[in-house]
Amino acid sequence: MRPTAFSSTRRWRLPAMGLVALLCALPTSLVAAETFQSRYHDYRVETVVDGLEHPWSMVFLPDGDQLVTERAGRLRRIQQGTLVAEPVAGVPELVVAGQGGLLDILLHPDFADNRILLLSYSHSNMDGMTTRVAKARYRDGRLEDVEVIFEALPRSNTSRHFAGRMAFDEDGSLYIAVGDRGEMDRAQATDDDAGGVHRISLDGKPAPGNPWLNEPDVNDTFFTYGNRNIQGMVRHPRTGAIWSHEHGPRGGDEINILTRGTNYGWPEITYGIGYSGLPITDQTHKPGMAQPLHYWDPSIAPSGMDFYFGEAFPQWQGDLFVGALKFQKLVRLRINDKLEVVEEEDLLTDLNDRIRAVYQGPDDALWVLTDETNGRVLRLTPP
């Protein structure tokens, strides 16, 4: 079924005299916010904080604060709506190069009790660069007991496609996306950690139930392979399934539901072409390789994703929201019970900001990170 597409980001306007009267009546904190229209809801966009250097990921702490990663290598704290000047101490050693730096942050499901969080990042040594994951305890504005629990091998000298998105499943196993590192044939090599999703326990060991635990020719942390560069991953709050999206080359960005032991086909099959304009392959289907739930052509460069089940926007409940870097927008997707995208709407197109990540916050607002030198944390609420 072909999705219905809308591009409905429009500023809400009043006649001049009415606007003046409204602004005079509003509290100062609301005057800076803009109101937009979409197919189902009007919504306000306010800047919570700015001054972040390429923010990449964010978590909400039980005390109401937020932690935000900057790709430049800093972990920042937002306390009562204000960006704390001093970065969080104790971030593990990392390298900032190309697409690499400090990437995803994820709270352990029992964070309120154990204070454990996870960080993904790029790391470099004399053998090259790779994607790493460390766990740590967060206390009083600093990280303690930092321990590396995953490192993708072998390393390489490219500075692309680190991926790095993470998610926990209902059993507490950790899913880690590793990109093909810009060397596409590695995504089909099952003795190479690049180009797939790895599933581990918190001690860094392969998670129980992984599909290739007894296969000597396949790395035992693999859950899926044939993935190019996953930059969005989330657990569906109702079904528990892990959803992801990944960058295609020129076209062929994909949304997938991650299924145990599945080959997602890159680069043997793709709906995209090479950056040179030449085909990568003439195949979009092959036996034993999964088809995407949805794909974009041309590419939107998706990054970040979350489902919305809040009360603030009742007619968006169940919809999937995806950030877009290249086309600088937030995409709302409606998916039916047959797992078909039946509606697609573009939001925030007037902001001219690359959207790096999107979250449903504990306040039922949608929170968005903009991937800019002066990056912002935005909050979408009803007018």
Side-chain angles (χ1 to χ4, degrees):
M1 182 179 296
R2 188 175 182 85
T4 305
F6 302 92
S7 183
S8 58
T9 300
R10 297 187 299 275
R11 285 182 171 84
W12 177 71
R13 301 188 183 278
L14 284 174
M17 292 303 293
L19 180 60
V20 170
L22 175 64
L23 292 178
C24 290
L26 283 175
T28 12
S29 60
L30 300 187
V31 172
E34 291 187 90
T35 299
F36 298 90
Q37 290 179 323
S38 76
R39 176 172 172 79
Y40 298 112
H41 287 289
D42 291 351
Y43 59 95
R44 292 176 57 250
V45 180
E46 62 176 315
T47 298
V48 179
V49 299
D50 56 12
L52 293 162
E53 188 173 356
H54 297 288
W56 213 91
S57 181
M58 181 172 69
V59 292
F60 301 88
L61 301 180
D63 62 5
D65 291 353
Q66 297 87 38
L67 296 178
V68 183
T69 61
E70 292 178 301
R71 187 163 52 81
R74 293 177 293 269
L75 180 58
R76 308 296 299 276
R77 181 183 182 186
I78 300 173
Q79 189 173 35
Q80 297 180 351
T82 299
L83 184 63
V84 177
E86 189 69 23
V88 172
V91 170
E93 178 189 357
L94 56 86
V95 64
V96 180
Q99 297 172 0
L102 184 56
L103 304 174
D104 208 4
I105 182 171
L106 185 66
L107 298 184
H108 188 275
D110 297 324
F111 176 84
D113 297 322
N114 62 26
R115 309 299 292 177
I116 292 176
L117 58 76
L118 291 304
L119 293 171
S120 68
Y121 53 96
S122 55
H123 184 265
S124 180
N125 64 21
M126 62 187 303
D127 295 322
M129 299 173 66
T130 193
T131 303
R132 264 188 174 182
V133 172
K135 69 177 179 181
R137 295 186 191 273
Y138 175 77
R139 292 192 182 96
D140 302 323
R142 65 176 294 109
L143 300 180
E144 301 174 349
D145 306 325
V146 178
E147 178 187 354
V148 176
I149 61 171
F150 177 81
E151 178 177 291
L153 295 175
R155 293 170 177 260
S156 66
N157 291 318
T158 69
S159 59
R160 305 186 298 277
H161 298 186
F162 292 95
R165 290 291 182 192
M166 302 181 291
F168 278 107
D169 66 15
E170 292 178 317
D171 298 326
S173 296
L174 177 65
Y175 293 69
I176 302 165
V178 179
D180 69 0
R181 301 303 318 287
E183 300 166 322
M184 57 185 180
D185 291 338
R186 296 179 66 184
Q188 289 295 318
T190 53
D191 60 348
D192 183 329
D193 288 336
V197 175
H198 299 263
R199 180 172 174 263
I200 65 171
S201 301
L202 204 61
D203 58 6
K205 296 178 181 178
N210 277 2
W212 294 289
L213 284 177
N214 300 313
E215 296 288 337
D217 297 329
V218 185
N219 290 357
D220 51 11
T221 57
F222 265 127
F223 189 77
T224 69
Y225 67 104
N227 302 105
R228 185 173 183 265
N229 188 25
I230 290 175
Q231 300 232 330
M233 188 182 292
V234 65
R235 185 178 77 193
H236 193 288
R238 300 290 170 85
T239 69
I242 304 296
W243 290 54
S244 73
H245 64 59
E246 61 185 86
H247 288 253
R250 287 178 57 180
D253 300 338
E254 297 182 0
I255 292 179
N256 293 297
I257 300 176
L258 297 183
T259 305
R260 178 182 182 275
T262 299
N263 180 354
Y264 287 90
W266 174 256
E268 297 294 320
I269 58 173
T270 180
Y271 287 92
I273 61 174
Y275 294 115
S276 66
L278 298 175
I280 294 169
T281 172
D282 61 355
Q283 302 292 310
T284 58
H285 295 67
K286 273 191 177 181
M289 297 182 180
Q291 283 294 298
L293 183 146
H294 183 66
Y295 71 90
W296 285 277
D297 188 13
S299 171
I300 66 167
S303 186
M305 65 193 302
D306 205 1
F307 287 95
Y308 186 80
F309 281 97
E311 298 296 332
F313 299 106
Q315 294 189 71
W316 284 350
Q317 287 191 2
D319 289 350
L320 179 64
F321 288 82
V322 175
L325 299 168
K326 179 181 177 182
F327 283 172
Q328 300 179 326
K329 62 186 179 180
L330 181 66
V331 181
R332 180 186 63 82
L333 298 172
R334 179 147 297 175
I335 299 165
N336 66 16
D337 292 340
K338 298 178 181 178
L339 298 179
E340 300 167 327
V341 175
V342 294
E343 187 176 296
E344 181 169 348
E345 182 178 23
D346 294 340
L347 310 174
L348 303 183
T349 54
D350 290 350
L351 297 185
N352 299 315
D353 283 328
R354 289 159 51 92
I355 305 301
R356 172 58 74 180
V358 56
Y359 307 93
Q360 179 187 322
D363 57 356
D364 284 353
L366 276 174
W367 294 64
V368 171
L369 303 182
T370 68
D371 180 34
E372 307 291 341
T373 304
N374 180 21
R376 295 186 288 165
V377 177
L378 306 177
R379 184 170 170 265
L380 278 61
T381 57

